[in-house]
Amino acid sequence: MWWLSALGGAVALLTRLLAADDAVAVIERIAPVLVFLVAVTVIAGLADAAKVFEVAAREAAHLGRGRTWRLWLLVVALATALTIVLSLDTCAVLLTPVVLAMARQLDIPPKLFAFTTVWLAGTASLLLPVSNLTNLLALHRFDQLGLGLRDYLGLSWRPAVAAVLITVVLLAVLFHRDLRRSYVVPPTPGIDDKVLFWGAAGVCLALGPAFVTGVNVAWPASAGALVLLVLFAVRRPSELTWALLPWRLVVTVVGLFLIVGALTAHGLEHLLDDVAGTAPGGLLADLRLTGTAALGANAVDNLPAYLAMEPLAAAEGRRMMLLLIGVNCGCLLTLWGSLATLLWRDRCIAAGIHISWWSFLWRGLVLTPLVLIGTVLALNLS
């Protein structure tokens, strides 16, 4: 995926399908997003090394008291909180292997937890700007419209709640047999270094309040990453490797945006005008815009789909939220609908769990229409 994106971006530049000035403008636009992505990935990686997520998952197993449905609800809460505060990619990368390993140790069918993490990584990523890279990009347009963080939250909280509730209910219906199982409560894992553990846990907990202060999210994320880098440099320098840096994600994001920038410069926007519509309207017009965004995300990934459709929604905050609903909550039909989904599947394969494209698609065909309709209705309530 990353090398295809890099190749496409390079072709767009070398053939001058995207002018150099336009390419610079694209990079400047996404630079804060890239800084946030790198910083939060470093935080998540070091928190994982400090066993923050492993302890959280095992504590959830203890709190579940041997009942799978209780454990699952705690994983739901953990996945939702992790997605909201540390982004959907963090949930996909870090929580997925933890809960799959936990399911294997407890002899619980792993697909319940696999789909819980990937679905909530998408549908729980509306609430805060930091929950999804698309939200961070949308802040630029919100600022241009004179709308701040409070305005964003005023638009996002109802659809965000609806998306999570619909996802949880559908998971309970699809996996009701697995939820009836019981398990033997495992021992709590030991903590190798309490200073690193509590330091990493403290940084993760502090990020939530920091992200809703209204400052550019790249600043608190960078500060948290710096704190943990210093802490690990003193306590466990062996963990500080280049593998912490998500360079493939950075290359993928940059390449995708250059490709879409080139397509937009050559008429893509006019084509999307005809498909999605540009004039605000009633419920059907809202669903048309959101549905088109969802189809675009499943076809080419949600980040370039957002960038391509942004001009169609940039006239008002409400249409921007409809676009975000489509690319965030509607990207769960294909295994390439988002970077988080690709990362999630890699973690499943590493854990020895095969999720076929058909298995993913048919469940997504049940979830996606329900989530899109429910979230658009919730937005209309505001």
Side-chain angles (χ1 to χ4, degrees), residues 342-365:
L342 290 169
L343 294 168
W344 167 83
R345 195 187 188 207
D346 285 343
R347 296 305 182 272
C348 289
I349 292 172
I353 297 166
H354 176 67
I355 307 290
S356 68
W357 68 269
W358 170 246
S359 176
F360 192 82
L361 175 62
W362 79 257
R363 290 179 174 90
L365 286 171

Side-chain angles (χ1 to χ4, degrees), residues 143-179:
D143 290 340
Q144 290 181 337
L145 294 170
L147 303 174
L149 179 62
R150 181 175 296 181
D151 300 295
Y152 177 93
L153 291 172
L155 288 167
S156 70
W157 75 267
R158 289 181 180 87
V161 171
V164 171
L165 289 178
I166 292 169
T167 303
V168 171
V169 170
L170 186 56
L171 283 166
V173 171
L174 292 177
F175 294 98
H176 64 94
R177 290 187 179 89
D178 295 338
L179 291 173

Side-chain angles (χ1 to χ4, degrees), residues 217-241:
V217 294
W219 289 107
S222 299
L226 182 60
V227 168
L228 290 188
L229 285 170
V230 171
L231 196 58
F232 270 81
V234 174
R235 306 284 300 187
R236 198 187 299 168
S238 60
E239 295 287 349
L240 302 181
T241 67

Side-chain angles (χ1 to χ4, degrees), residues 138 140-147 151-152 155 277-282 285-286 289 306 309-324 379-380 382:
H140 174 73
R141 292 294 186 182
F142 274 85
D143 290 340
Q144 290 181 337
L145 294 170
L147 303 174
D151 300 295
Y152 177 93
L155 288 167
T278 56
D286 292 348
L289 173 59
Y306 167 81
M309 293 193 61
E310 186 187 63
L312 309 182
E316 61 169 326
R318 187 175 173 281
R319 283 180 64 81
M320 288 294 297
M321 188 54 59
L322 287 167
L323 172 56
L324 290 176
L379 181 62
N380 275 272
S382 62

Side-chain angles (χ1 to χ4, degrees), residues 243-329:
L244 285 171
L245 299 178
W247 63 270
R248 286 187 177 86
L249 277 178
V250 171
V251 170
T252 301
V253 171
V254 173
L256 287 173
F257 276 95
L258 292 176
I259 292 167
V260 173
L263 293 174
T264 302
H266 290 81
L268 179 61
E269 182 179 341
H270 299 298
L271 175 62
L272 291 173
D273 282 349
D274 298 332
V275 178
T278 56
L283 179 61
L284 289 179
D286 292 348
L287 289 171
R288 180 182 176 186
L289 173 59
T290 297
T292 304
L295 290 175
N298 285 292
V300 296
D301 187 88
N302 64 348
L303 282 170
Y306 167 81
L307 184 64
M309 293 193 61
E310 186 187 63
L312 309 182
E316 61 169 326
R318 187 175 173 281
R319 283 180 64 81
M320 288 294 297
M321 188 54 59
L322 287 167
L323 172 56
L324 290 176
I325 288 172
V327 296
N328 290 9
C329 301

